[in-house]
Amino acid sequence: MRTSQPQTIYLNEYKVPAYLVDHVDLRFELFENGARVHSTMTVRRNPECVQSKAPLELDGDSLKLESVSLDGLPLDAEAYDDQGDKLVVPNVPAQFELNVVTWIEPQNNTRLEGLYKSSGMFCTQCEAEGFRSITYYPDRPDVMAMFRTRIEADKAAYPILLSNGNPVEQGELAGDRHFVTWEDPFPKPAYLFALVAGDLVEKKDTFTTCSGRAIDLRMYVEPRNAEKCDFAMDSLKRAMRWDEEVYGREYDLDIFMIVAVDDFNMGAMENKGLNIFNSSCVLASQNTATDASFQRIEAIVAHEYFHNWSGNRVTCRDWFQLSLKEGFTVFRDAQFSADMGSPTVKRIEDVTLLRTAQFAEDAGPMAHPVRPASYMEISNFYTLTIYEKGAEVVRMINHLLGDDLFRKGSDLYFERHDGQAVTTDDFVRAMEDASGRDLSQFRLWYEQAGTPVVTVADHYDEDRGVYRLDICQSVPDTPGQTGKKPQHIPFALGLLSRAGEPLPLNLSAAEQDGPQERVLELTESEQSFEFHGLSERPVPSLLRNFSAPVRVQYPWSRDQLLFLMSHDPDGFNRWDAGQRLAVDVIQSLIGAPEGAEVEPRLVGAYRNLLSDVSLDQALVAKMLLLPSEAYLVELSEQADVPAIYAARQKVLTHLAESLRDDLVGCYQRSRAEGEYQLTPQAIALRSLRNTALAWLLHIKDEQGLAFALEQYRSADNMTDRLGALRALVNSDFADEREQALRAFYEQYSDDPQVVELWFSVQASSYQAGQLPQIQTLLDHPAFDWKNPNKVRSVVGAFAGQNLAAFHKADGSGYQFLADQVCRLDDSNPQIAARLISPLTRWKKFAPHYGQQMKAALECVRGKSELSPDVYEVVLKSLSD
Ligand SMILES: [Zn+2]
């Protein structure tokens, strides 16, 4: 455990490495009581470093040093300084070979960083700084070396031995042991190193690249998961083809491997040629995975594969540049998912996450720019801002340049920087050079934290037939950043006539037949735009397809929103109008007297959605979902969660009661006939049906109950079975709920991924997930503190999704979370630091709640030996 006060690291203090490593030869001797790591590095002084007499400094963490030799000669203990987190060797020549032998204990590694054991197999996670707990090494992404890795282990227990690159040698050793040697011909930073040793089954396939090379594709899983690999393998092949066609990127090694691991802090990791996945992000079958899991798996498999170019071949100079690889790669995987399914639905899902969670982060104590200027613990910066807002920034560049110039820019970026560790600025420069566009103001998106607010006022001049938009933008203050400059915002819009027809957007009196959609480029604090030749006051459709990650303020009337809900040609804005209307109705009921009326036109709009079968059913399925409590919290000034929950419940109850027969009709009609399919249409029908079912059970409808029990019994896929279970769990049918939960667990108790679903269905439900029940789940034999997925599915789901139960007026939810964070901090600080996040926004809540949240944070701060991970989050939350 590191106990010293964590240091802040600043971007502007970046220095080039004093020494470079050209080649690393690793030899791992794996045993049950530990592992010996022999590392031989070919080192030379960096010609770009001015300090020629600098000592060699290698990073380390929790290592037992056994020996150091330089150019084959063992060094005495006086010849180097072993400081624990650093190994310093002074007086080294300009070029030399350094051999370091360390002893580590993977079996006791509960942090799941570096080399550790999961379900009896050895595996690694080295991003961001895990390699330093394997051996002493310059553990920074701008040191790129060629790796050769020999793994030695017991042959019976670990028949499969994997590392990066291509296998070059294997053989038998004394004592029933064996070895395999791997060589990676591409230079890479240590964070992309990976090793796996275990008793795994191998699933094989091949892929022929655009230039005709045959690539071996391999998946390695535990024998019980052998039947759950097909979907990920197919997703991989689709991703490989797509990256060739859309980005011109061909795979480079002879083999590409995926390994599934149960205990994993992240979703997956893009190690060169050897991707390691959290089991829940790769294993799937119709009977055990929901539609949402299938889509998530396809996206994550693609994401990690795409990193082979955007991340591995071209990597980050330092960790401040994390969004260079993550923002670009999330953008690429979002494009891929849109191409594989419904682009509008994908956009709605991405924006929902962005507006609910990233905007909250941007407005909270951990707010930071897409390229942060400082950090204490880099693990805390694997954030929605780096990933999702970073992807939005790339999307805006695409929007401003157009598809062709964007592709030219990406080609130039890969060609210019192949084999290098670079910065977000290098990325933007490649885009500028390829397109001839000036993106200097646009760069503020990387530098300024906070979500820009765009305020729109309109004015119609009947005499001149001119409609004018006055648009102001401002970026709110965030911790450490005030007085921000206006940003370069692509603002897509259209105008509709009263009859619902799109109108031409003529920017001058001379222009006739202008386009029906335009992208205005906002660059100043205040700008006006005039649209000519309009014989009536139009209805504006603003920020179409969410063309920029901003908050738009415009005084929409409920009439306008109802109109846009049924007439906007932009599917995203249609959905958005429905969300804004529902938000407006719910907000007007927060704290309202008992008998307050629910807007009757909302019922009419939802009835139309439920009954008009000519509408895009995938879009309808999304439009029927009411805004979440988390989003309503995010939109409030001083959130009172029980009041928000009550208002939302009231609207839901009113809608379900008023539309009871329509819901029954929709449920009966929306049955996907035949074989289970993963098409957007079939997914939409299942989603519609499950929403209708949930609403019927919400009002304790007996026919709904019969539907749910029958659906649970006869479902041929997990989406429908879990949909029925969820509806029962969230209902007041207490006996049926308990029965279904018992039956579900009995049926799936040997499948950890399904048990995680079972945990989270309960922990996220107000009916089934009150604190005493959460405590029971933690005591359940299937719960395991060492497994991050289990922790997330109970503690994470309770604090993050079961808002009304978590925000109890007595503060018990907050104290519970603080206790669990303290408990977890000793074994897995990374997960503990992520788990604490619901408490960090205490200022967002009404004082009675906020003060108790703050007290819970202070309680965590009082813990002795707090990890740097949790320390940074608590410190920033309390000092903001
Ligand atoms: Zn990634």
Side-chain angles (χ1 to χ4, degrees):
M1 197 76 246
R2 294 162 290 188
T3 50
S4 57
Q5 193 85 332
Q7 300 290 307
T8 300
I9 299 163
Y10 297 94
L11 168 62
N12 61 14
E13 291 177 359
Y14 171 83
K15 291 195 186 67
V16 297
Y19 292 89
L20 301 174
V21 181
D22 291 319
H23 194 271
V24 195
D25 218 313
L26 294 168
R27 180 174 153 227
F28 286 84
E29 297 179 81
L30 303 178
F31 305 100
E32 294 311 307
N33 66 337
R36 182 164 290 110
V37 185
H38 308 254
S39 161
T40 306
M41 293 167 266
T42 313
V43 187
R44 67 186 156 92
R45 198 170 284 154
N46 183 359
E48 286 176 35
C49 175
V50 284
Q51 208 193 346
S52 65
K53 285 278 181 279
L56 174 74
E57 289 192 8
L58 304 176
D59 303 296
D61 187 357
S62 317
L63 301 169
K64 189 165 169 254
L65 183 63
E66 293 195 338
S67 69
V68 186
S69 7
L70 200 146
D71 286 332
L73 296 172
L75 295 184
D76 293 338
E78 299 82 61
Y80 56 84
D81 185 7
D82 178 10
Q83 305 171 352
D85 63 346
K86 281 224 181 315
L87 176 67
V88 182
V89 191
N91 308 318
V92 290
Q95 204 158 358
F96 56 96
E97 206 176 77
L98 190 80
N99 176 276
V100 179
V101 181
T102 49
W103 176 258
I104 55 178
E105 295 184 350
Q107 74 280 7
N108 296 328
N109 178 351
T110 58
R111 288 159 47 205
L112 315 185
E113 297 171 74
L115 180 65
Y116 64 95
K117 285 191 92 171
S118 169
S119 310
M121 81 169 100
F122 287 92
C123 60
T124 53
Q125 170 58 34
C126 291
E127 187 177 2
E129 297 179 336
F131 195 73
R132 62 185 62 185
S133 51
I134 294 176
T135 183
Y136 284 103
Y137 194 78
D139 190 4
R140 44 188 289 171
D142 55 356
V143 173
M144 297 174 83
M146 237 110 85
F147 281 67
R148 185 183 167 96
T149 307
R150 174 177 157 126
I151 312 165
E152 304 175 7
D154 183 86
K155 192 170 181 179
Y158 308 100
I160 301 288
L161 304 175
L162 311 173
S163 190
N164 316 86
N166 300 311
V168 291
E169 204 186 347
Q170 55 185 305
E172 309 285 319
L173 296 167
D176 297 321
R177 291 169 67 81
H178 71 143
F179 76 93
V180 178
T181 304
W182 293 80
E183 201 164 79
D184 185 353
F186 295 96
K188 65 168 178 287
Y191 83 86
L192 289 172
F193 171 81
L195 175 157
V196 169
D199 185 4
L200 304 168
V201 293
E202 181 183 61
K203 305 295 277 186
K204 298 183 180 186
D205 210 326
T206 58
F207 176 82
T208 306
T209 68
C210 52
S211 73
R213 291 170 46 241
I215 311 294
D216 289 329
L217 307 181
R218 299 281 184 269
M219 276 184 75
Y220 295 92
V221 298
E222 288 178 53
R224 64 186 165 84
N225 293 321
E227 305 310 313
K228 291 182 172 185
C229 298
D230 293 350
F231 182 75
M233 190 67 100
D234 289 343
S235 301
L236 173 63
K237 287 188 284 185
R238 285 194 291 275
M240 294 177 88
R241 185 64 71 220
W242 186 92
D243 210 19
E244 292 181 343
E245 288 171 1
V246 180
Y247 279 88
R249 299 293 114 201
E250 184 180 357
Y251 187 63
D252 47 14
L253 292 163
D254 303 333
I255 182 168
F256 185 86
M257 297 171 282
I258 287 177
V259 182
V261 174
D262 283 345
D263 304 309
F264 205 69
N265 282 349
M266 316 232 185
M269 178 61 209
E270 71 262 23
N271 317 296
K272 182 78 185 186
L274 176 56
N275 287 189
I276 298 182
F277 276 68
N278 187 321
S279 297
S280 72
C281 297
V282 68
L283 300 173
S285 74
Q286 170 180 342
N287 292 321
T288 61
T290 61
D291 295 346
S293 329
F294 277 111
Q295 289 173 314
R296 192 164 117 95
I297 288 168
E298 183 179 65
I300 297 181
V301 167
H303 177 98
E304 305 308 331
Y305 173 74
F306 296 158
H307 268 316
N308 190 55
W309 278 94
S310 49
N312 301 2
R313 289 284 288 256
V314 183
T315 193
C316 305
R317 187 192 72 174
D318 51 68
W319 291 120
F320 298 101
Q321 320 295 331
L322 182 55
S323 197
L324 174 80
K325 74 179 179 78
E326 295 307 342
F328 188 23
T329 306
V330 171
F331 173 65
R332 275 149 56 68
D333 84 54
Q335 285 181 299
F336 170 74
S337 296
D339 284 354
M340 297 297 121
S342 157
T344 306
V345 166
K346 172 66 181 157
R347 191 69 187 133
I348 288 170
E349 287 166 354
D350 288 350
V351 173
T352 301
L353 175 66
L354 194 80
R355 286 207 294 216
T356 307
Q358 196 279 324
F359 282 15
E361 187 171 277
D362 240 353
M366 290 293 286
H368 55 275
V370 170
R371 190 195 61 203
S374 68
Y375 61 78
M376 285 183 183
E377 177 52 62
I378 185 59
S379 308
N380 287 333
F381 283 79
Y382 285 74
T383 60
L384 291 156
T385 301
I386 300 292
Y387 280 68
E388 308 303 324
K389 187 175 181 181
E392 292 295 318
V393 170
V394 177
R395 169 183 286 272
M396 287 188 285
I397 296 178
N398 190 161
H399 215 138
L400 291 168
L401 267 56
D403 290 342
D404 292 346
L405 288 176
F406 181 80
R407 169 65 195 270
K408 257 181 83 183
S410 117
D411 286 351
L412 178 62
Y413 166 72
F414 287 126
E415 184 195 308
R416 191 184 267 177
H417 298 298
D418 190 10
Q420 296 177 5
V422 302
T423 64
T424 54
D425 205 47
D426 292 317
F427 179 79
V428 178
R429 191 165 310 115
M431 290 292 164
E432 283 179 319
D433 292 349
S435 67
R437 284 213 57 164
D438 176 4
L439 297 173
S440 38
Q441 186 185 7
F442 187 86
R443 282 180 170 80
L444 289 171
W445 280 104
Y446 287 96
E447 295 159 21
Q448 296 190 157
T451 306
V453 179
V454 174
T455 308
V456 182
D458 58 351
H459 175 82
Y460 178 61
D461 183 337
E462 202 175 339
D463 298 339
R464 290 171 61 219
V466 171
Y467 178 70
R468 192 182 75 234
L469 293 178
D470 298 326
I471 307 184
C472 306
Q473 62 153 308
S474 63
V475 190
D477 290 349
T478 45
Q481 274 194 344
T482 53
K484 293 175 207 185
K485 300 184 187 124
Q487 295 185 180
H488 187 170
I489 299 172
F491 192 84
L493 88 167
L495 299 176
L496 300 181
S497 75
R498 232 174 287 149
E501 294 299 319
L503 295 166
L505 305 182
N506 303 317
L507 286 171
S508 70
E511 192 176 359
Q512 300 285 320
D513 289 330
Q516 293 174 354
E517 181 171 310
R518 279 190 184 273
V519 181
L520 306 178
E521 297 195 18
L522 311 182
T523 51
E524 330 231 337
S525 329
E526 290 177 33
Q527 275 167 284
S528 292
F529 299 88
E530 285 191 342
F531 301 94
H532 295 255
L534 298 167
S535 57
E536 55 169 311
R537 185 188 190 90
V539 177
S541 163
L542 304 173
L543 199 72
R544 280 197 168 161
N545 208 29
F546 208 69
S547 60
V550 300
R551 294 177 201 267
V552 176
Q553 293 183 342
Y554 171 82
W556 278 283
S557 67
R558 289 186 182 178
D559 280 333
Q560 282 177 319
L561 293 172
L562 285 157
F563 174 85
L564 290 169
M565 255 180 102
S566 49
H567 291 99
D568 201 317
D570 184 81
F572 176 85
N573 271 17
R574 225 176 232 234
W575 168 81
D576 196 31
Q579 291 289 295
R580 285 180 194 276
L581 179 64
V583 164
D584 190 41
V585 171
I586 296 171
Q587 280 179 336
S588 69
L589 292 169
I590 294 175
E594 187 65 26
E597 192 196 36
V598 178
E599 167 68 71
R601 287 175 296 176
L602 190 67
V603 177
Y606 275 70
R607 174 168 289 131
N608 201 33
L609 289 173
L610 279 170
S611 54
D612 186 349
V613 288
S614 71
L615 297 173
D616 171 3
Q617 297 295 290
L619 184 56
V620 169
K622 287 289 169 200
M623 291 185 77
L624 281 175
L625 301 176
L626 286 181
S628 67
E629 283 133 21
Y631 185 50
L632 292 160
V633 164
E634 163 53 25
L635 293 174
S636 5
E637 287 293 330
Q638 292 267 286
D640 178 340
V641 174
I644 288 173
Y645 177 78
R648 188 180 181 278
Q649 290 294 100
K650 183 180 171 122
V651 171
L652 187 55
T653 305
H654 181 74
L655 286 174
E657 281 171 351
S658 314
L659 299 169
R660 192 258 165 206
D661 293 346
D662 305 86
L663 290 167
V664 169
C666 173
Y667 182 84
Q668 289 174 322
R669 186 182 66 238
S670 310
R671 195 187 172 84
E673 296 297 337
E675 290 267 288
Y676 175 76
Q677 284 187 314
L678 269 169
T679 59
Q681 295 77 15
I683 292 171
L685 287 182
R686 281 189 289 274
S687 167
L688 267 178
R689 241 163 96 81
N690 283 320
T691 301
L693 191 64
W695 286 25
L696 286 169
L697 267 72
H698 178 75
I699 52 169
K700 225 178 166 191
D701 186 271
E702 288 293 335
Q703 193 177 1
L705 176 63
F707 288 154
L709 296 176
E710 175 55 21
Q711 178 175 320
Y712 183 87
R713 195 191 60 73
S714 64
D716 70 346
N717 64 82
M718 183 50 79
T719 307
D720 284 339
R721 181 152 292 140
L722 192 76
L725 179 73
R726 193 187 297 280
L728 287 165
V729 166
N730 287 325
S731 76
D732 288 331
F733 292 113
D735 294 347
E736 287 83 356
R737 172 204 312 153
E738 293 309 319
Q739 260 168 23
L741 281 171
R742 249 196 320 275
F744 190 90
Y745 183 75
E746 265 167 38
Q747 188 172 354
Y748 297 104
S749 57
D750 58 352
D751 188 316
Q753 280 95 56
V754 184
V755 170
E756 283 151 23
L757 293 174
W758 182 78
F759 276 130
S760 76
V761 161
Q762 298 173 77
S764 60
S765 159
Y766 187 73
Q767 279 73 7
Q770 295 295 324
L771 204 44
Q773 290 144 320
I774 299 297
Q775 199 56 60
T776 310
L777 294 180
L778 294 183
D779 297 335
H780 193 277
F783 186 82
D784 179 2
W785 279 105
K786 290 200 292 300
N787 179 259
N789 290 359
K790 298 290 186 300
V791 175
R792 282 186 278 251
S793 65
V794 178
V795 186
F798 171 68
Q801 294 168 46
N802 194 355
L803 265 52
F806 176 62
H807 292 274
K808 272 272 139 70
D810 62 4
S812 54
Y814 310 145
Q815 195 52 51
F816 167 80
L817 184 61
D819 293 345
Q820 310 320 314
V821 167
C822 289
R823 167 182 193 146
L824 203 58
D825 188 48
D826 293 330
S827 55
N828 190 331
Q830 250 186 48
I831 297 297
R834 273 176 231 168
L835 216 55
I836 201 172
S837 138
L839 290 175
T840 60
R841 297 210 63 210
W842 58 276
K843 285 192 175 169
K844 178 86 191 163
F845 294 84
H848 173 76
Y849 300 93
Q851 286 309 317
Q852 298 193 77
M853 295 168 83
K854 188 180 176 207
L857 279 169
E858 278 161 350
C859 177
V860 174
R861 185 172 60 182
K863 173 184 178 280
S864 61
E865 299 198 29
L866 205 56
S867 70
D869 308 62
V870 174
Y871 176 82
E872 177 176 25
V873 177
V874 172
L875 182 82
K876 289 183 174 171
S877 308
L878 287 173
S879 65
D880 170 33

